[in-house]
Amino acid sequence: MSTITTQQKRFWSPAVRELEPYVPGEQPKIQNLLKLNTNENPYPPSPKVVAAVQAVLENSADALRLYPDPDASALKQAIAKQQHVAVENVFVGNGSDEVLAHIFKAFFVQELPVLYPDITYSFYPVYSQFFGVKTKILPLNDNFEIVVDDYKQPNGGIIITNPNAPTSIDLGLVAIEEVLEANPDSVVVIDEAYVDFGAESAVSLVEKYDNLVVCQTTSKSRSLAGLRVGFAIAQPHLIAALEAVKNSFNSYPMDRFAIAAAVASFEDQSYFEAQNQKVIASREQLVAQLNEIGFKVLPSSANFIFASLPAKDAGELAAELRERGIIVRYFNKPRINQYLRITIGTDEQNQRLVDTLKNDILV
Ligand SMILES: Cc1ncc(COP(=O)(O)O)c(C=O)c1O
């Protein structure tokens, strides 16, 4: 994009001139590329998902002409069934990024600051700036773990990614309950984008805590990043705030294809479970292989790992991998600039990564 001059920016709303937008991981068009940079699932979604998308067009000539269900009821029902909650506990949105945006607007625009860790999903500061949310950033400890006691101070809300990104480390439900108990008057959001790869979900706590919102996505464990379906689970008084925000912004965020495909995914639980087990097994194998060649890998409960090689600069390593057609995520940020975030691929893809490191880069 060409540079926009200050003169041209005079047309922009003043607040938009100051925005620092989120920068998504690259989606480059390079041949024979091994893309291990955006935590997509290496396996396709359930075949039933593809059939459901095709059926949308085949079954109704009006599928494109008419608006979809503004409430996406079929999808909410499928999620409620799979998550063992009532339909009234479910909110859906165009990717969990949109659900998170509505969460920031619905709960976090308060007098007191929202608390979140210094190293976490990099969209939180972006939404905070966008919605004018005050923030207080709390450092993870030296092992990149959350210090639960830090979350026992006055606040306007709390958001914790579990397992955390990009560190991959998970926080147990005991610690999450401690945070919930200590903050009965503010909303605690647990962003569980990666929970299906080995962490325990806080959805089981929703009935007990009237201040808990759990956010999940179909992008990772259901291989549907291209579909854009995310959801939140909470008690109905919190869901009502999210619906109010959604219906003040876009009443039809879920198109017909997204609804049909995600329903099919939630109904095919055995495919989902088998596929996640494969990713977890591949992760363990990759960690062992990387340990063997000198990497330190943080304990992962996600579909990615966070790894450093003491003998080599992480930025250089990312660049050398890239020259060989392998893309991993490198964050040039304080505390984590000697780590690489590597998405778990198929066993074959992981082997290509290990072989490239072992036989080409680190020789
Ligand atoms: C922690 C976390 N939350 C939310 C998201 C957003 O996922 P999506 O908008 O694809 O549902 C991501 C995506 O990478 C993530 O890492």
Side-chain angles (χ1 to χ4, degrees):
M1 210 170 47
S2 61
T3 314
I4 315 280
T5 63
T6 313
Q7 170 73 358
Q8 291 168 321
K9 278 197 183 173
R10 75 188 186 284
F11 295 117
W12 296 22
S13 301
V16 174
R17 289 176 215 159
E18 308 303 321
L19 287 181
E20 285 177 48
Y22 178 75
V23 183
E26 298 174 84
Q27 302 288 353
K29 313 250 173 317
I30 302 172
Q31 278 210 333
N32 197 23
L33 174 77
L34 178 48
K35 225 182 131 302
L36 303 177
N37 66 329
T38 46
N39 297 342
E40 286 133 333
N41 200 302
Y43 301 107
S46 156
K48 292 180 184 163
V49 168
V50 181
V53 171
Q54 282 162 345
V56 172
L57 280 180
E58 283 159 17
N59 294 347
S60 167
D62 285 331
L64 295 178
R65 188 177 67 80
L66 298 177
Y67 281 107
D69 174 8
D71 200 38
S73 322
L75 176 55
K76 286 183 178 173
Q77 273 160 21
I79 294 172
K81 193 166 172 215
Q82 190 260 333
Q83 294 284 332
H84 309 291
V85 295
V87 177
E88 295 70 38
N89 295 120
V90 184
F91 176 79
V92 292
N94 191 266
S96 61
D97 279 339
E98 187 185 75
V99 176
L100 289 166
H102 293 342
I103 284 172
F104 272 68
K105 179 72 181 172
F107 307 119
F108 288 170
V109 190
Q110 307 284 355
E111 273 305 305
L112 288 169
V114 165
L115 312 178
Y116 57 78
D118 59 341
I119 299 161
T120 189
Y121 186 33
S122 38
F123 228 128
Y124 304 157
V126 176
Y127 284 142
S128 299
Q129 189 197 17
F130 188 64
F131 292 115
V133 169
K134 294 177 195 129
T135 58
K136 184 162 183 184
I137 310 299
L138 304 171
L140 298 176
N141 70 16
D142 290 344
N143 297 324
F144 292 132
E145 293 156 344
I146 283 192
V147 182
V148 172
D149 283 343
D150 288 351
Y151 293 80
K152 297 176 181 172
Q153 56 175 302
N155 65 74
I158 291 172
I159 183 159
I160 292 173
T161 310
N162 190 40
N164 198 8
T167 64
S168 76
I169 296 176
D170 82 273
L171 185 68
L173 286 195
V174 172
I176 289 175
E177 278 209 77
E178 211 179 313
V179 174
L180 286 160
E181 298 275 0
N183 294 281
D185 295 319
S186 47
V187 171
V188 176
V189 177
I190 308 295
D191 178 352
E192 295 188 343
Y194 303 99
V195 76
D196 297 317
F197 299 104
E200 206 179 343
S201 173
V203 168
S204 60
L205 302 176
V206 160
E207 211 182 330
K208 187 168 167 197
Y209 293 97
D210 66 358
N211 58 336
L212 170 63
V213 178
V214 180
C215 187
Q216 290 193 12
T217 178
T218 62
S219 297
K220 318 292 180 181
S221 57
R222 294 183 180 274
S223 307
L224 295 175
L227 203 64
R228 313 307 300 129
V229 175
F231 61 98
I233 309 281
Q235 290 190 12
H237 60 282
L238 299 178
I239 298 295
L242 293 173
E243 295 289 354
V245 171
K246 171 230 162 200
N247 287 318
S248 306
F249 179 70
N250 176 6
S251 352
Y252 301 98
M254 316 304 299
D255 66 63
R256 257 176 228 285
F257 300 100
I259 294 171
V263 165
S265 171
F266 282 104
E267 286 176 349
D268 195 353
Q269 191 63 11
S270 56
Y271 180 92
F272 161 79
E273 279 163 16
Q275 179 185 263
N276 291 343
Q277 284 314 315
K278 274 206 280 191
V279 172
I280 292 168
S282 302
R283 177 183 73 208
E284 298 315 305
Q285 194 178 317
L286 176 62
V287 170
Q289 286 177 297
L290 290 178
N291 282 338
E292 238 169 67
I293 53 175
F295 276 86
K296 284 194 189 154
V297 184
L298 299 188
S300 172
S301 301
N303 70 335
F304 61 89
I305 53 169
F306 206 47
S308 67
L309 188 61
K312 180 126 186 142
D313 179 74
E316 279 172 29
L317 193 53
E320 287 181 39
L321 282 167
R322 196 193 162 87
E323 279 164 23
R324 290 154 179 88
I326 301 177
I327 306 196
V328 298
R329 190 93 191 245
Y330 171 68
F331 300 88
N332 194 2
K333 289 186 181 170
R335 291 188 77 189
I336 54 170
N337 64 5
Q338 285 312 315
Y339 285 82
L340 299 178
R341 193 194 69 188
I342 306 171
T343 305
I344 307 301
T346 60
D347 284 339
E348 207 178 30
Q349 292 171 333
N350 298 339
Q351 196 60 52
R352 178 173 155 197
L353 169 73
V354 172
D355 289 345
T356 304
L357 286 164
K358 212 154 97 176
N359 307 330
D360 193 354
I361 298 180
L362 303 175
V363 279

